[in-house]
Amino acid sequence: MSTLVDAVLLLVALLLCLSGCSLLALSQDRNWRKVLDDRNATPPIFAWLGWTRVLSAFVPCVARDGASFAALLWPLLFAAGAGAAAMVLTYRPRWYGAAIRVLGLSR
């Protein structure tokens, strides 16, 4: 494949992992309340969607490099997505809050 297609597939896989890890984190009560600054907020059920996105990130990895290298690349992207989601929740939780309000996900 061309270099551009490889780069796009890698970016898609990374974004799927990042969004999946973010949804998994926001499915927890503590994180949802921290992001919205509301002690009574109940998080929607994001866990199934988060796991779906994380697992579907394996497909672009296989399309890019084949199954053998995708088995190495996918966990690395998963770890990078989880680390980035944790950093945003720790240092800039309002970024998630703004995205939630724009998307209309808050109750």
Side-chain angles (χ1 to χ4, degrees):
M1 277 192 234
S2 72
T3 307
L4 180 62
V5 173
D6 287 345
V8 168
L9 287 172
L10 185 63
L11 182 64
V12 166
L14 180 62
L15 291 176
L16 282 171
C17 283
L18 177 61
S19 64
C21 290
S22 297
L23 289 172
L24 285 172
L26 290 174
S27 68
Q28 298 176 355
D29 290 336
R30 179 185 62 188
N31 293 333
W32 185 257
R33 290 179 181 139
K34 179 180 180 181
V35 165
L36 293 181
D37 275 339
D38 184 4
R39 292 192 179 269
N40 299 324
T42 304
I45 301 174
F46 282 145
W48 66 272
L49 184 59
W51 281 116
T52 303
R53 287 188 180 197
V54 168
L55 293 174
S56 66
F58 190 69
V59 174
C61 292
V62 170
R64 181 181 187 269
D65 292 314
S68 61
F69 191 73
L72 172 67
L73 181 62
W74 179 75
L76 294 174
L77 292 175
F78 182 41
M87 290 295 180
V88 171
L89 274 173
T90 301
Y91 296 110
R92 299 282 187 247
R94 305 259 189 240
W95 289 0
Y96 281 136
I100 287 168
R101 287 181 184 89
V102 167
L103 295 174
L105 297 176
S106 61
R107 294 179 182 173

